[in-house]
Amino acid sequence: MTIPAATVDAVPLHRALGVTDGELEAIQVKLGRSPNDLELAMFSVMWSEHCSYKSSKPLLATLPTSGSDVVAGPGENAGVVRIGDGLAVAFKLESHNHPSAVEPYQGAATGVGGILRDIFTMGARPVAILDALKFGDPSQDRTRYLVRGVVRGVSGYGNCVGVPTVGGELVFHPSYAGNPLVNVMAVGVLEERHLTRAVAPGPGNLAVLFGSSTGRDGIGGASVLASATFGEASATKRPSVQVGDPFAEKLLIEASLELIERGLVEGLQDLGAAGITCAVSETADRASTGIRVDLDAIPRRESDMEPFEVMISESQERMLAIVTAEQLPHVLEVCARWDLPAAVIGRVTDDGLVTIVTGGLDAAGAPAAGARELARIPAAALTSEAIIHQRVAAAPVRRRPMPVPDDAPDAMSDPSPGLPERGMDPGAVLQALLGHPDLCSRAWVTRQYDATVGADTVDGSEHGAAVIRVRGTTKGLVMATDAAERVGLLDPWLGAAFAVAECTLNVAVTGAHALGVTNCLNYGDPERPEAFWQLQEGVRGLGDACRALGLPITGGNVSLYNESAATTIAPTCQVGIVGLLEDIGRRVGPVPGGAGEMVALLGAATRGLAGSIYVDIAGPGPDDRLPTLDLTAHAALLRLLPAAAEQGLLRAAQDVSGGGLAVALAEMCLWSGVGADLTLGVGAEPASDLFGEGPSRVAVTLAPADWDALATLAAAAGVPLQALGETGGDSLRIRLVAQGVASTSDERGAGIADDLDTSLDVLRDAWDHGLPRALGDDAWRPEPHAREG
Amino acid sequence: DGILDPQGRAVETSLPHLGVSAVHGVRVGRRVELDVDATDDAAARVIVERLATELFANPLIEAFEVELLTGAAAGSMA
Amino acid sequence: DGILDPQGRAVETSLPHLGVSAVHGVRVGRRVELDVDATDDAAARVIVERLATELFANPLIEAFEVELLTGAAAGSMA
Amino acid sequence: MRVGVVVFPGSNCDRDALYAATLVGAESYPIWHESADLRGADLVILPGGFAYGDYLRAGALARFSPVMGAVREHAAKGGLLLGICNGFQVLAEAGLVPGALLRNSSLRFEHRWVRLAVERHDTPFTRAIPLGTQLRMPIAHGEGNYFLPEADLDALEASRGVVFRYTTPEGNPNGSARDIAGVLDARGTTCGLMPHPERAAERILGSDDGLLLLRSVVESVAASTERQPVAVHA
Ligand SMILES: Nc1ncnc2c1ncn2[C@@H]1O[C@H](COP(=O)(O)OP(=O)(O)O)[C@@H](O)[C@H]1O
Ligand SMILES: [Mg+2]
């Protein structure tokens, strides 16, 4: 076998493949000899960060994963949690950051394809997609190109496979300029009895590869693209881009689910990073068996492929099924009916080895006469016993309470010209916040996503968490994904914990109970002690928050080396949660029903503006501190909300997050088309009361008659409840009154000068046009505002 | 040239529905025709090559060819 | 025709952003390349013309041309 | 009423249509694209999705699916045929309704809720829709921009072939000529529309206006079987 000379360049082969000298020695120990070139290529992809989790595994081991309803946890393709009635839900978040930086359309498209395969491989029918996207400055041409490509990619793929895209995140922060994040979450529903594992049991069973043929896509994609920091070399990595075919994926979904429902497979594994090598070694290792691969039997798109190319190709839309000889004809019939090429490419063995044979296998599955063995590796050496590195963590020398303009990443170039400085009119600040690209309407994006295919979408992506009904039951699934990148930049522990807090609250405001947590850890180069420290802190924050809230982590994904020559990303612990509504008819939405409802706030503010979008646009102040997170108080709020929903006490509920309470209230007004007349007690720093992003708060509306019941419930739960006023009119009016201060006017000067009174039309204009304005899309038109009766 | 062409594949699999069996190797690409104001063919070609690389084709996954038509230039991608 | 080729129009409006002013009349179409087993060029052309009329182009909105490449045929629509 | 929903490779609203049909009491079943047997369908639905990936042109490859011979015959005999979204594109490509669906004028996929004005109440697809009712349902397509040459549009209007039009406040989402959202064939028994009635079939999903369309079909099937009893298919 030859590795193309261009990639070797006088560097020893193993290093060219990203294998360190120490790792090569470890490989030699595992094999008791030196690997040949094919084996080395297989190790290089399996021992990449992406497949082996070699830097993060010891950290992930600390996460809480158990829960009484968890049917499958980390280690499987997706987490699975029981929801009653014999049903379960499968869900997982996964990154496709580096491929999307290189080719945004295909990178995002194949990201969607990959996470969907993780879901239906378990036997679940995918019912929802959520996409969390992070980019640099939206005024830059490069960013705009990436945004357009990524959004089109998600839309092109998700719409075609017929899975609604119902939620996600869109964040712009300069730290993502050179390294955008594309994290995709998928959710599926299955009958628990159809739960299928990615295993290769039963020596003698057949390994059937079905779906697209194997081409040169993504050769080295996993190891080279995901493990090497971007630089000038990226041009030479281009041929490794994977191309997606959503049409093939749709056929793959139907064929796979039919195979599972008819009980035709012993195990099923999708092909993702490291292609066939990963699929055969993982399925064999999980079942303590081996697999002998008949290399010549693998259908190829090109005739002149080298064995290593076939073995590590990341061609999309492929599946590996382990089937008995008796079921083989049925399996092949199903694949043929769905127009999917299928081939028997190997046999399960009892020797614990992955062997690659050319020259064919005989009827018994042994190498045919004259056949040659090209590789022979213990399956465990490639997967469960892959190398682990104990990385060095070091907190930054000076732990910054807040970014000092000079050493913070370049401030965004003028996000909103003519913005008021700190201390100016709160109405103008609110307008600027509603028009901020991170807070404004996402319609520019979401209108490109089919959110209603499947005819189960009760609430799509424009407001808060997505709600999908479970057809044939009274149940609903509520899903959300969140991160707190600006907080994570200042304190990576808090950033991760905040993400869990925000996401749990997004789910709980609907009245749902969280079932479990998935996550995607997006961090920098783990060989850099500061980046590894950020990862360590992030995992600690994630674990601490989930433990305190009693939530199991059922799966996730780790993406490291998110750095470019210019920037390292803000530490980003992306959290995804699925919650269960037992009675979807009792769900609470974020949109008030009309005028005359009481408006109130549940939870108490923790002060601090650091890490907020307010600081992003108004500039940092000398005393800015991070808000704190009280997980016990948060847990109490999470218990209260479903109880209040259960009793039908809430007309609307909306968690306070980006932009603070004022933005949460403004959104409720915009979505209902009805204003509000409110009074807010403020302290010495009114900006913090209005725009601070302290966690664990929910703005609610309710019928005045329900106030006493809600107050009783809140008091019993130990959750502060504060009346703010009532809905009505066509503007948002917030009167600020001093709390514990003698004279309002004396104290108010610190932050805000005036009461807030802004017409909804003005707020709506800012909110509607924020994104197209930021992205320079003059042609885009918002939908005319229409109130639903 | 080895890059996946799902369109071509889908067309090819449905040709039997049309009773066509003598056709294979279907590749579906884009064709852009444009009028260029330029002093000569070489100058026109420079402009079109630039547009092809920067706008019409994604060099990562597409190849292109530039063809000069009578007094006009067209580029095709596959 | 602008109505039938919104993509062409969009490309054209984006050209000034790229600093290109010498280009106009942008038409974006499809190019299908295929290998035909046929005894001679004429026979190949018959097969391809049929495919082009029935499948590759929708006569209501698209026109096509057939071009014989060396031992192969390609049809383009605009 | 028997409703057969054709399943092309790449159809993705087939299950939604099958389910919605049951909400008006119909018996619904899938028809595989390779089958020539419509199993006595009173209404055949070509559902939404991306048949054959929408490769080449939306609907272009599906039109040649083996099932389309039987669908054509069904329509020729005056059987009811409804193409939704991608199904409309297939009907147009197959020449079973006039026109072509071009890319949306935004050049983007558009998913949004729209409102439809009902132009005729005397068709099998609209007879149960009360006069003056606007229908609210989602669209989700990249190619829904209805096109016909001007003269043909005039002829279509004159023959009252336009049955649904996008209307205010949301307006025309895709650049369709004369705001056309749905058309009929000359016989009035084949209907193609871009919006998704099957996704607007329950209040909990945001609208049940789509049921009015399905109920119309139920009524008209009931009326026609009263008039002329036909052989019952097994
Ligand atoms: N951050 C994380 N938290 C919990 N589990 C994780 C995390 N990252 C990865 N995992 C788990 O490790 C396993 C391997 O992940 P991955 O290689 O991404 O799976 P796949 O190849 O199926 O996409 C999965 O079960 C995944 O859920
Ligand atoms: Mg997997």
Side-chain angles (χ1 to χ4, degrees):
Chain A
M1 179 193 74
T2 49
I3 299 283
T7 64
V8 176
D9 242 353
V11 175
L13 177 61
H14 67 277
R15 283 195 221 152
L17 286 169
V19 175
T20 64
D21 295 358
E23 289 171 343
L24 178 60
E25 273 170 39
I27 292 170
Q28 287 162 339
V29 169
K30 299 246 182 233
L31 293 180
R33 61 182 165 83
S34 282
N36 63 33
D37 290 357
L38 171 60
E39 291 167 337
L40 187 60
M42 291 165 66
F43 270 105
S44 77
V45 289
M46 291 305 295
W47 284 22
S48 70
E49 194 66 59
H50 189 85
C51 289
S52 69
Y53 291 81
K54 60 190 169 189
S55 300
S56 58
K57 223 179 204 169
L59 302 178
L60 297 182
T62 66
L63 294 172
T65 57
S66 54
S68 53
D69 291 326
V70 176
V71 189
E76 299 290 339
N77 281 305
V80 178
V81 183
R82 211 173 275 131
I83 60 169
D85 294 347
L87 298 174
V89 54
F91 59 103
K92 188 174 170 205
L93 253 169
E94 193 157 76
S95 67
H96 231 213
N97 305 338
H98 296 120
S100 303
V102 177
E103 212 303 302
Y105 181 93
Q106 294 295 345
T110 54
V112 172
I115 187 64
L116 287 175
R117 284 193 292 283
D118 277 339
I119 299 302
F120 66 77
T121 300
M122 308 288 301
R125 178 171 286 278
V127 297
I129 297 168
L130 297 88
D131 61 332
L133 313 177
K134 325 260 155 141
F135 300 97
D137 181 346
S139 70
Q140 298 292 308
D141 282 346
R142 173 78 192 162
T143 304
R144 293 174 175 184
Y145 162 77
L146 290 173
V147 172
R148 277 170 211 271
V150 166
V151 170
R152 266 180 202 280
V154 172
S155 130
Y157 205 100
N159 298 347
C160 183
V161 294
V163 180
T165 301
V166 293
E169 270 203 315
L170 177 60
V171 169
F172 297 93
H173 188 275
S175 72
Y176 301 113
N179 193 118
L181 299 188
V182 175
N183 288 188
V184 186
M185 173 169 165
V187 182
V189 174
L190 68 153
E191 285 184 47
E192 199 181 329
R193 65 196 172 96
H194 289 145
L195 180 70
T196 302
R197 295 190 57 223
V199 289
N205 280 339
L206 306 166
V208 175
L209 183 68
F210 65 101
S212 298
S213 52
T214 299
R216 284 202 173 88
D217 331 38
I219 297 295
S223 64
V224 182
L225 274 182
S227 300
T229 302
F230 281 157
E232 285 76 310
S234 78
T236 61
K237 291 171 190 157
R238 287 177 170 183
S240 50
V241 169
Q242 306 119 309
V243 175
D245 179 0
F247 172 55
E249 178 102 341
K250 169 65 178 164
L251 304 179
L252 218 49
I253 294 177
E254 299 305 332
S256 299
L257 293 179
E258 182 177 338
L259 291 174
I260 289 170
E261 278 158 25
R262 288 175 54 191
L264 298 178
V265 296
E266 306 302 303
L268 191 62
Q269 169 73 306
D270 62 304
L271 273 73
I276 297 173
T277 299
C278 181
V280 297
S281 56
E282 285 191 357
T283 50
D285 187 32
R286 286 196 191 104
S288 304
T289 58
I291 291 189
R292 188 174 295 123
V293 176
D294 179 356
L295 185 74
D296 311 337
I298 297 170
R300 299 156 201 217
R301 208 159 68 223
E302 292 161 82
S303 51
D304 58 345
M305 291 177 68
E306 295 285 341
F308 91 92
E309 292 177 310
V310 174
M311 287 307 296
I312 71 174
S313 157
E314 296 185 351
S315 285
Q316 300 291 294
E317 292 92 23
R318 295 181 298 164
M319 300 289 282
L320 183 75
I322 305 299
V323 309
T324 62
E326 301 80 73
Q327 301 293 18
L328 180 67
H330 304 295
V331 170
L332 296 179
E333 184 277 325
V334 170
C335 292
R337 185 150 34 76
W338 287 104
D339 275 334
L340 293 167
V344 175
I345 65 143
R347 285 282 186 138
V348 179
T349 63
D350 59 7
D351 58 13
L353 298 171
V354 170
T355 42
I356 314 296
V357 172
T358 182
L361 303 182
D362 64 20
R372 270 185 315 128
E373 206 170 88
L374 301 179
R376 183 182 184 81
I377 309 176
L382 290 168
T383 63
S384 57
E385 291 168 15
I387 195 150
I388 290 176
H389 292 304
Q390 300 293 337
R391 304 290 192 197
V392 179
V397 189
R398 192 165 44 85
R399 211 174 141 186
R400 304 178 288 256
M402 46 156 290
V404 179
D406 277 350
D407 63 17
D410 283 353
M412 245 184 234
S413 67
D414 201 14
S416 174
L419 193 82
E421 293 299 326
R422 287 176 73 121
M424 288 192 61
D425 172 35
V429 173
L430 177 58
Q431 211 181 315
L433 285 169
L434 283 173
H436 188 281
D438 286 12
L439 299 181
C440 62
S441 165
R442 259 88 263 271
W444 186 91
V445 172
T446 54
R447 239 163 61 180
Q448 299 184 53
Y449 296 158
D450 187 342
T452 53
V453 62
D456 285 324
T457 305
V458 173
D459 217 330
S461 36
E462 261 307 68
H463 323 130
V467 182
I468 298 282
R469 74 82 188 261
V470 182
R471 205 181 280 176
T473 72
T474 60
K475 298 175 200 295
L477 295 175
V478 179
M479 46 202 87
T481 177
D482 290 289
E485 41 290 303
R486 287 178 175 80
V487 173
L489 198 56
L490 306 177
D491 180 343
W493 179 90
L494 191 62
F498 254 57
V500 174
E502 181 177 347
C503 202
T504 48
L505 205 49
N506 263 320
V507 168
V509 289
T510 64
H513 290 277
L515 293 167
V517 176
T518 183
N519 69 93
C520 187
L521 299 164
N522 303 272
Y523 292 83
D525 175 356
E527 294 161 58
R528 244 179 0 95
E530 181 174 345
F532 189 68
W533 171 81
Q534 292 177 329
L535 171 66
Q536 196 179 59
E537 287 292 288
V539 174
R540 200 169 63 81
L542 173 66
D544 286 349
C546 289
R547 261 186 302 272
L549 301 174
L551 291 174
I553 291 173
T554 60
N557 179 247
V558 179
S559 171
L560 303 180
Y561 297 96
N562 288 290
E563 306 192 358
S564 64
T567 52
T568 299
I569 63 160
T572 308
C573 172
Q574 190 72 35
V575 169
I577 294 183
V578 178
L580 178 65
L581 282 166
E582 279 298 340
D583 180 358
I584 198 167
R586 299 214 157 253
R587 80 191 178 287
V588 177
V591 187
E597 294 183 1
M598 271 187 88
V599 182
L601 178 65
L602 283 167
T606 68
R607 314 201 146 264
L609 285 165
S612 69
I613 298 195
Y614 175 80
V615 166
D616 219 47
I617 61 177
D623 299 326
D624 288 347
R625 259 167 311 146
L626 280 167
T628 53
L629 171 62
D630 176 346
L631 286 163
T632 311
H634 193 76
L637 184 57
L638 295 182
R639 280 190 302 271
L640 169 67
L641 289 161
E646 176 73 18
Q647 295 181 27
L649 300 179
L650 303 177
R651 291 281 174 83
Q654 158 85 333
D655 64 303
V656 175
S657 58
L661 178 62
V663 165
L665 294 167
E667 286 173 341
M668 294 173 93
C669 291
L670 288 181
W671 297 338
S672 67
V674 177
D677 209 338
L678 311 173
T679 304
L680 182 67
V682 298
E685 198 186 21
S688 182
D689 295 289
L690 281 170
F691 309 121
E693 299 177 8
S696 316
R697 288 176 294 158
V698 178
V700 298
T701 71
L702 61 157
D706 289 328
W707 172 260
D708 289 344
L710 184 63
T712 308
L713 209 56
V719 175
L721 171 67
Q722 180 189 345
L724 298 178
E726 92 176 14
T727 57
D730 51 12
S731 66
L732 173 61
R733 295 168 305 283
I734 306 180
R735 231 161 51 80
L736 306 176
V737 298
Q739 230 167 26
V741 177
S743 149
T744 339
S745 48
D746 291 347
E747 298 294 332
R748 275 204 320 232
I752 299 284
D754 260 319
D755 292 348
L756 189 152
D757 185 353
T758 311
S759 87
L760 295 192
D761 287 343
V762 167
L763 296 178
R764 179 172 299 113
D765 182 75
W767 191 72
D768 272 349
H769 293 93
L771 209 46
R773 276 178 193 145
L775 293 168
D777 185 347
D778 307 329
W780 197 86
R781 297 278 164 272
E783 283 169 73
H785 175 70
R787 277 221 56 208
E788 265 328 294
Chain B
D1 60 339
I3 298 279
L4 182 65
D5 175 15
Q7 294 212 69
R9 211 203 119 196
V11 170
E12 203 161 326
T13 21
S14 54
L15 288 178
H17 292 162
L18 282 101
V20 173
S21 61
V23 170
H24 41 96
V26 180
R27 275 97 56 202
V28 180
R30 240 163 322 128
R31 177 185 162 93
V32 182
E33 242 180 76
L34 29 88
D35 303 332
V36 186
D37 299 331
T39 44
D40 55 22
D41 284 3
R45 189 178 277 275
V46 168
I47 295 176
V48 175
E49 298 254 359
R50 200 196 124 205
L51 282 179
T53 5
E54 291 184 14
L55 185 64
F56 300 145
N58 180 342
L60 296 186
I61 47 174
E62 294 168 315
F64 68 89
E65 258 167 55
V66 176
E67 199 184 322
L68 287 165
L69 306 177
T70 329
S76 292
M77 277 123 280
Chain C
D1 181 339
I3 295 185
L4 292 178
D5 183 14
Q7 238 188 317
R9 247 184 323 151
V11 168
E12 205 158 325
T13 24
S14 73
L15 290 177
H17 292 299
L18 282 126
V20 174
S21 61
V23 170
H24 40 98
V26 180
R27 279 95 58 202
V28 179
R30 230 184 339 266
R31 177 184 160 95
V32 183
E33 241 180 77
L34 30 88
D35 303 332
V36 186
D37 297 333
T39 43
D40 56 25
D41 285 2
R45 189 177 275 277
V46 169
I47 295 176
V48 175
E49 298 257 359
R50 199 197 125 206
L51 280 178
T53 346
E54 293 187 12
L55 180 63
F56 298 149
N58 177 342
L60 190 58
I61 47 174
E62 294 166 316
F64 68 88
E65 259 167 51
V66 176
E67 197 185 323
L68 285 166
L69 305 177
T70 330
S76 291
M77 276 123 281
Chain D
M1 180 174 73
R2 289 174 63 79
V3 176
V5 178
V6 173
V7 182
F8 296 110
S11 292
N12 65 28
C13 305
D14 45 326
R15 296 149 50 84
D16 309 355
L18 287 165
Y19 178 71
T22 64
L23 298 177
V24 293
E27 186 190 339
S28 65
Y29 53 90
I31 302 171
W32 188 243
H33 66 111
E34 281 174 333
S35 161
D37 182 3
L38 306 181
R39 291 158 56 202
D42 298 301
L43 169 68
V44 173
I45 295 181
L46 305 190
F50 288 71
Y52 296 87
D54 270 5
Y55 290 136
L56 212 53
R57 242 181 358 266
L61 294 169
R63 170 194 163 195
F64 292 102
S65 242
V67 74
M68 287 303 287
V71 168
R72 224 176 253 285
E73 264 174 45
H74 170 82
K77 286 188 306 206
L80 298 180
L81 176 58
L82 175 64
I84 303 170
C85 193
N86 193 228
F88 183 11
Q89 295 163 338
V90 176
L91 290 178
E93 281 283 335
L96 291 169
V97 292
L101 283 313
L102 303 176
R103 280 192 71 180
N104 295 345
S105 52
S106 63
L107 294 180
R108 291 200 177 101
F109 189 96
E110 294 283 352
H111 173 267
R112 53 212 266 199
W113 286 81
V114 297
R115 224 168 285 252
L116 302 180
V118 181
E119 299 286 300
R120 293 180 59 174
H121 293 263
D122 59 345
T123 80
F125 305 96
T126 55
R127 54 184 283 163
I129 303 174
L131 279 177
T133 308
Q134 293 183 351
L135 307 179
R136 199 168 159 273
M137 41 182 93
I139 57 155
H141 57 246
E143 290 91 17
N145 179 348
Y146 187 79
F147 171 82
L148 259 188
E150 277 300 313
D152 298 347
L153 276 174
D154 290 339
L156 181 70
E157 302 261 22
S159 66
R160 304 188 61 223
V162 178
V163 63
F164 300 114
R165 258 187 251 271
Y166 300 109
T167 186
T168 51
E170 290 85 358
N172 184 336
N174 54 25
S176 277
R178 304 191 188 176
D179 300 331
I180 290 172
V183 298
L184 293 172
D185 70 341
R187 187 192 281 270
T189 48
T190 295
C191 173
L193 83 166
M194 289 312 296
H196 286 276
E198 82 283 14
R199 299 188 194 178
E202 288 164 279
R203 290 303 297 273
I204 193 173
L205 303 181
S207 164
D208 58 2
D209 293 352
L211 287 182
L212 290 173
L213 204 150
L214 291 170
R215 280 208 196 97
S216 299
V217 177
V218 173
E219 271 186 20
S220 81
V221 167
S224 76
T225 37
E226 269 163 36
R227 276 202 314 275
Q228 36 164 173
V230 289
V232 177
H233 299 261

